[in-house]
Amino acid sequence: MANITRANGTLTLVGDWKEEDIALFQPVLNSWSFYGQYGIQYCGNLSEQNKSASFFGCGRWGFSGTLESFHEWTIDWIKTQGPLTEQEYQDFLKNMHKKDLKIEMSYEEDGDEFFVEETGFFVSDGEELIYHTSTSAPIEMPWEDYGKECFDAAVEFFRSFTVDADDLKLKKWVKQWIRPSHCFLDYEPGEDVYEFLENNSFMMEDAFFYDEILFDALKQNIKLKEDERLEEMYRFMEETYGIDYTLELPEDFDRSELAENESDEEFIRWYEQLEEKMKAK
């Protein structure tokens, strides 16, 4: 089953849009709700005086990819559903191309474990509607938004690789270096971590040691278990992502960015606040 993403943003008519141009666009826009699930489920009113409107939409895996499919899906919608006709759509595309009109889409999107802020735009070549992405950047969500249960699950996941890890040091490292994710909740403390990774290989890139510098920050203060499967994991990551875990950083390497920027007292206060939020729910 495809992951359904949710997008909230603003649709803006770029160029010299007149009322007659908007009238050609409106039935096309109405058809973009498509199959009651993907597409633009709601869009505010547009006019020559008000060329921007808020919208809500749903994507299939990602809203950007869905927008790229709008032309193909619109053609299919005309053939199977209506009331938009092929002639109405052709008139809209030709008019958009002739007047060099654009439709800008600026939105924030959230899906399963990702949050994105993106801007793109539609253009027409006279026969086809084409979507281009201008900017796209992930929105970082802090551990506070995921909660204590999720944070503790991440700590236990990484504890599986260590030998008698100092609890406070490990927790501080997870807070500073690990990308928050709900995927850690799937790991049961005591479970064979390597078997877990085999069944959840996406975590290797998404939430695991995908950065040799980050990995070095862990090795500095916390002893890792000696396990041949750890070496196998290194080889897999090196072959798949080009990460060199055997890299010996030079002695004069600037480790300031690896430093623990938070005192123990500050971290403890932060962690207590996570506990209080959990109890308040």
Side-chain angles (χ1 to χ4, degrees):
M1 179 179 178
N3 171 46
I4 300 175
T5 68
R6 298 157 295 280
N8 289 278
T10 302
L11 181 154
T12 302
L13 304 177
V14 179
D16 190 22
W17 288 77
K18 302 296 184 183
E19 291 297 345
E20 57 267 28
D21 305 316
I22 298 173
L24 288 173
F25 174 44
Q26 194 61 56
V28 177
L29 177 60
N30 293 342
S31 77
W32 284 351
S33 61
F34 296 120
Y35 304 96
Q37 188 173 51
Y38 304 121
I40 296 177
Q41 306 305 313
Y42 164 81
C43 186
N45 296 323
L46 294 165
S47 68
E48 192 172 346
Q49 289 72 40
N50 184 26
K51 295 182 179 180
S52 292
S54 59
F55 76 88
F56 168 76
C58 294
R60 185 177 186 273
W61 297 114
F63 195 61
S64 178
T66 297
L67 294 173
E68 291 173 3
S69 302
F70 265 26
H71 176 74
E72 177 186 338
W73 290 6
T74 302
I75 295 295
D76 182 67
W77 191 257
I78 290 169
K79 293 177 180 178
T80 60
Q81 302 291 329
L84 180 68
T85 67
E86 185 176 351
Q87 187 62 55
E88 286 176 317
Y89 189 49
Q90 287 178 352
D91 290 344
F92 163 69
L93 293 176
K94 290 177 181 177
N95 184 68
M96 228 184 130
H97 176 63
K98 180 181 178 181
K99 295 190 174 183
D100 193 26
L101 303 175
K102 297 181 181 180
I103 303 168
E104 183 182 84
M105 308 294 290
S106 180
Y107 58 89
E108 292 184 355
E109 175 184 20
D110 66 280
D112 186 10
E113 299 298 342
F114 74 88
F115 303 86
V116 173
E117 187 173 49
E118 180 169 300
T119 297
F121 58 92
F122 286 110
V123 296
S124 169
D125 63 3
E127 297 181 354
E128 185 176 345
L129 188 70
I130 304 165
Y131 181 75
H132 299 280
T133 298
S134 301
T135 62
S136 182
I139 301 172
E140 297 296 333
M141 303 296 289
W143 279 113
E144 289 87 340
D145 288 353
Y146 284 81
K148 178 180 180 296
E149 183 182 12
C150 188
F151 178 78
D152 286 346
V155 171
E156 293 309 310
F157 174 80
F158 286 101
R159 192 188 304 279
S160 301
F161 296 93
T162 67
V163 178
D164 298 327
D166 180 272
D167 189 61
L168 185 57
K169 282 185 177 180
L170 182 59
K171 286 179 177 178
K172 289 177 68 175
W173 179 82
V174 169
K175 182 190 174 188
Q176 181 178 3
W177 291 103
I178 298 304
R179 181 190 308 159
S181 172
H182 287 113
C183 64
F184 295 111
L185 291 170
D186 295 330
Y187 175 74
E188 295 290 338
E191 181 181 358
D192 188 297
V193 70
Y194 297 100
E195 290 183 6
F196 175 78
L197 284 173
E198 287 180 7
N199 296 324
N200 299 273
S201 58
F202 70 92
M203 289 183 65
M204 300 286 279
E205 178 181 13
D206 184 58
F208 196 49
F209 298 135
Y210 51 86
D211 185 325
E212 62 265 29
I213 303 301
L214 176 151
F215 187 70
D216 185 70
L218 176 64
K219 290 193 295 183
Q220 284 186 85
N221 299 307
I222 300 171
K223 183 178 180 182
L224 300 181
K225 293 178 182 177
E226 293 183 6
D227 194 307
E228 62 181 19
R229 293 175 299 175
L230 184 63
E231 298 297 329
E232 291 175 4
M233 187 192 74
Y234 292 165
R235 286 193 291 272
F236 171 81
M237 294 294 281
E238 288 172 0
E239 293 171 1
T240 306
Y241 304 110
I243 299 173
D244 184 6
Y245 289 116
T246 62
L247 175 68
E248 289 292 333
L249 298 177
E251 293 183 2
D252 60 351
F253 178 76
D254 181 6
R255 295 175 181 268
S256 60
E257 63 177 293
L258 308 182
E260 296 176 342
N261 299 320
E262 191 174 37
S263 69
D264 291 352
E265 292 75 16
E266 289 173 327
F267 174 83
I268 291 170
R269 284 196 296 270
W270 174 84
Y271 189 73
E272 288 174 346
Q273 290 174 354
L274 283 187
E275 289 184 309
E276 292 170 2
K277 287 183 179 179
M278 185 177 70
K279 293 176 181 177
K281 291 183 178 180

